[in-house]
Amino acid sequence: MTTAARPSAPAVAVRGLAHRYASGAGDVVALDGVDLHVEAGEFVSIVGPSGCGKTTLLRAVAGLLAPSEGSVAVFGGTPEAAQTAHALGLVSQDPGLLPWRSVEANVRLALELTGVTTDVPGLLARVGIAAFARHRPGELSGGMRQRVALARAIAHGPRLLLMDEPFGALDELSREVIRLELVRLWERDRPAVLFVTHAIREAVMLSDRVVVMSGLPGRMLDEIAIDLPRPRIESIESTAPFAALVDRVRAALRAGAHGDARGGV
Ligand code: ADP
Ligand code: MG
């Protein structure tokens, strides 16, 4: 058994993470003293102001960036080991598809790189793009392209899915549809998910837990358990408990924006 395959280990364990970027105008401290835990099968969202270090944090968890300080464990091993064991899937804001390859060929390429085989038509159907298998990315809407990126990220059956504002560029309606589909996919397969978003309602709708970050340097301000029933359905968004949770997340964000995690607005 490799260090990346301990079933009892948390999906993500980040301790004392700090990161500094060197730049001409002086160092930028993007993250400072960040601790974060995601259990196997848990859906955790991170919300925080723009530029607070969310992408930096996700890249550190993915093993794409070596943090200045602190440690990152993924299923008890290094992010690289998790990557090698095909335990990680990543979706970023830009779908990053190869424009000259069809939808199906984009997904197949990702699979070839991992050596995992799967039912590609079935996978495309699960993310609602079966009818577009032969299309090129340029022929699709932004929402459809993000579905392709999602299919590519889950094709090898990762146990941890990292999503960096994946729906940020979509219109509100596409966003609502794709959000519900993500809930359904997650409720079926139950990978751990670390999901970065600006959208508070989206975070509440999707998550088991919402982590609120402060402005630069990014620190963890608060953590709100989303104890809404599952399976989540669209109408949950118009319930009082949903509204109360949205208010709590918003209040935590405001407190952070005012530089005081304890005080009100
Ligand atoms: P977020 O995803 O929350 O918007 P980022 O993690 O992208 O934030 O960035 C955090 C901070 O680090 C920002 O202030 C950003 O300008 C800075 N930053 C990000 N990448 C670099 C880089 N390669 N060089 C210098 N500064 C960077
Ligand atoms: Mg970002």
Side-chain angles (χ1 to χ4, degrees), residues 21-23 28-30 48-57 164-165 196 198 216:
Y21 290 106
S23 86
V28 176
V29 181
S50 188
C52 76
K54 302 181 297 296
T55 295
T56 305
L57 174 60
D164 192 0
E165 305 200 39
V196 168
H198 271 115
L216 209 65

Side-chain angles (χ1 to χ4, degrees), residues 110-127:
L111 277 167
E112 279 161 25
L113 296 175
T114 60
V116 175
T117 51
T118 197
D119 164 24
V120 173
L123 175 65
L124 298 183
R126 272 167 62 210
V127 299

Side-chain angles (χ1 to χ4, degrees), residues 17-250:
L17 198 73
H19 194 68
R20 275 179 300 278
Y21 290 106
S23 86
D27 286 4
V28 176
V29 181
L31 295 172
D32 190 26
V34 167
D35 295 318
L36 176 71
H37 238 79
V38 180
E39 294 302 324
E42 191 184 20
F43 198 124
V44 175
S45 288
I46 298 179
V47 297
S50 188
C52 76
K54 302 181 297 296
T55 295
T56 305
L57 174 60
L58 230 65
R59 287 175 59 80
V61 173
L64 299 172
L65 170 146
S68 312
E69 283 171 38
S71 65
V72 176
V74 176
F75 296 114
T78 62
E80 292 74 16
Q83 195 72 260
T84 307
H86 311 311
L88 283 181
L90 179 64
V91 182
S92 46
Q93 191 157 5
D94 172 4
L97 303 172
L98 298 175
W100 59 88
R101 281 189 162 231
S102 69
V103 164
E104 187 172 355
N106 266 282
V107 175
R108 284 197 191 283
L109 176 66
L111 277 167
E112 279 161 25
L113 296 175
T114 60
V116 175
T117 51
T118 197
D119 164 24
V120 173
L123 175 65
L124 298 183
R126 272 167 62 210
V127 299
I129 49 173
F132 299 93
R134 300 268 148 76
H135 286 61
R136 306 264 162 110
E139 299 165 333
L140 304 180
S141 67
M144 289 296 170
R145 281 200 285 272
Q146 274 305 27
R147 287 162 197 254
V148 182
L150 179 60
R152 191 184 48 189
I154 64 173
H156 56 286
R159 291 185 298 134
L160 172 62
L161 192 53
L162 304 171
M163 305 185 81
D164 192 0
E165 305 200 39
F167 313 142
L170 306 186
D171 61 87
E172 191 50 36
L173 195 61
S174 312
R175 228 180 145 123
E176 279 173 13
V177 173
I178 201 168
R179 178 189 303 169
L180 273 173
E181 290 181 353
L182 177 62
V183 167
R184 234 169 282 135
L185 273 176
W186 179 83
E187 286 171 349
R188 188 192 115 150
D189 296 342
R190 297 294 301 260
V193 180
L194 188 53
F195 186 92
V196 168
T197 180
H198 271 115
I200 299 172
R201 297 178 68 83
E202 181 165 285
V204 171
M205 176 68 178
L206 291 167
S207 311
D208 295 320
R209 194 150 53 88
V210 175
V211 173
V212 179
M213 282 178 78
S214 70
L216 209 65
R219 295 192 175 96
M220 296 320 193
L221 279 181
D222 206 351
E223 193 176 283
I224 293 143
I226 308 299
D227 48 3
L228 298 170
R230 291 189 185 272
R232 303 255 165 102
I233 47 172
E234 203 168 5
S235 57
I236 208 163
E237 293 204 39
S238 42
T239 63
F242 186 92
L245 287 163
V246 168
D247 283 348
R248 278 189 59 196
V249 176
R250 187 175 294 124

